[in-house]
Amino acid sequence: TSAGARVDARMALVGKTWRGEDSLMASKAHGTCVAAVQSPLRWGCSVQTADNICCFNRHFAEYSGYWESTSFLREASHERTVFRDSVTGLPLFVAPVGRSWAEFVEESRHHGWPSFRTQEVVWDNVRVLGNGETVSVNGTHLGHNLPDSKGFRFCINLVSVAGHAPAGSGSDGGDDGLPFDFPPPPVRV
């Protein structure tokens, strides 16, 4: 069995569409994005860095540990934080789910970037391309899927998921605006 077939079989357990086509990253109004990133971003993330990584990049990332230089660890909810697209404000990840805040932070520190697991992905708004690049359905570059012995691990740039909820949604970054079935049932991969 090919590695791609194993990935497809594992992700089929999620019960959501997850594989994205390269056409998601076609040129749009602002690089690969539908618009420029929001300004300001949450947690004091750099708008310029975010714009470069989200909209004009397919391979590079913020520097390892960047997320720890922001106000994220002080300001994010340790109960459950919604990570939103820095361009559109759509929810992309929710953490922690199925683990503690300390476990989420420890794994993220170990790898150098916020690291999300399958159950923490809002699959309505996230896709994984054939090469592992992880993107929003609107063409925002987020990071990469780098599986390890525990399963899928989404290594994501904080600048890509520091957006505010869309105007008029009444959300301040909390749980509202998520699909009614979130989080999905636990997935064993």
Side-chain angles (χ1 to χ4, degrees), residues 71-143:
S71 63
F72 169 73
L73 288 172
R74 291 185 311 278
E75 294 178 9
S77 167
H78 294 198
E79 298 294 318
R80 185 166 151 166
T81 296
V82 178
F83 296 82
R84 296 180 176 277
D85 188 316
S86 290
V87 175
T88 66
L90 292 174
L92 302 173
F93 301 92
V94 178
V97 173
R99 58 183 171 165
S100 70
W101 174 258
E103 290 168 321
F104 168 75
V105 170
E106 178 183 341
E107 180 172 56
S108 297
R109 280 189 172 134
H110 177 75
H111 295 289
W113 288 267
S115 295
F116 300 94
R117 294 296 174 169
T118 303
Q119 70 272 13
E120 296 170 323
V121 181
V122 180
W123 290 108
D124 290 343
N125 301 325
V126 175
R127 296 292 182 270
V128 180
L129 305 185
N131 65 356
E133 182 181 6
T134 303
V135 303
S136 78
V137 294
N138 292 307
T140 305
H141 172 81
L142 306 174

Side-chain angles (χ1 to χ4, degrees), residues 3-186:
R6 286 193 304 273
V7 168
D8 285 344
R10 288 178 181 172
M11 293 304 290
L13 297 174
V14 175
K16 298 281 186 181
T17 300
W18 67 276
R19 174 85 51 154
E21 299 297 326
D22 283 338
S23 60
L24 283 171
M25 300 306 283
S27 188
K28 297 179 188 65
H30 191 75
T32 62
C33 297
V34 295
V37 299
Q38 300 172 2
S39 182
L41 292 170
R42 290 190 296 168
W43 308 306
C45 287
S46 166
V47 171
Q48 181 179 1
T49 300
D51 202 51
N52 287 334
I53 289 173
C54 293
C55 303
F56 298 98
N57 163 64
R58 300 286 306 277
H59 306 288
F60 299 104
E62 64 201 20
Y63 64 83
S64 177
Y66 171 85
W67 67 284
E68 291 186 271
S69 74
T70 69
S71 63
F72 169 73
L73 288 172
R74 291 185 311 278
E75 294 178 9
S77 167
H78 294 198
E79 298 294 318
R80 185 166 151 166
T81 296
V82 178
F83 296 82
R84 296 180 176 277
D85 188 316
S86 290
V87 175
T88 66
L90 292 174
L92 302 173
F93 301 92
V94 178
V97 173
R99 58 183 171 165
S100 70
W101 174 258
E103 290 168 321
F104 168 75
V105 170
E106 178 183 341
E107 180 172 56
S108 297
R109 280 189 172 134
H110 177 75
H111 295 289
W113 288 267
S115 295
F116 300 94
R117 294 296 174 169
T118 303
Q119 70 272 13
E120 296 170 323
V121 181
V122 180
W123 290 108
D124 290 343
N125 301 325
V126 175
R127 296 292 182 270
V128 180
L129 305 185
N131 65 356
E133 182 181 6
T134 303
V135 303
S136 78
V137 294
N138 292 307
T140 305
H141 172 81
L142 306 174
H144 288 84
N145 177 22
L146 303 170
D148 61 16
S149 62
K150 295 179 186 176
F152 294 106
R153 181 178 61 82
F154 299 91
C155 187
I156 303 299
N157 296 291
L158 185 65
V159 297
S160 299
V161 293
H164 298 276
S169 71
S171 175
D172 62 357
D175 294 343
D176 49 312
L178 292 175
F180 65 89
D181 62 346
F182 196 88

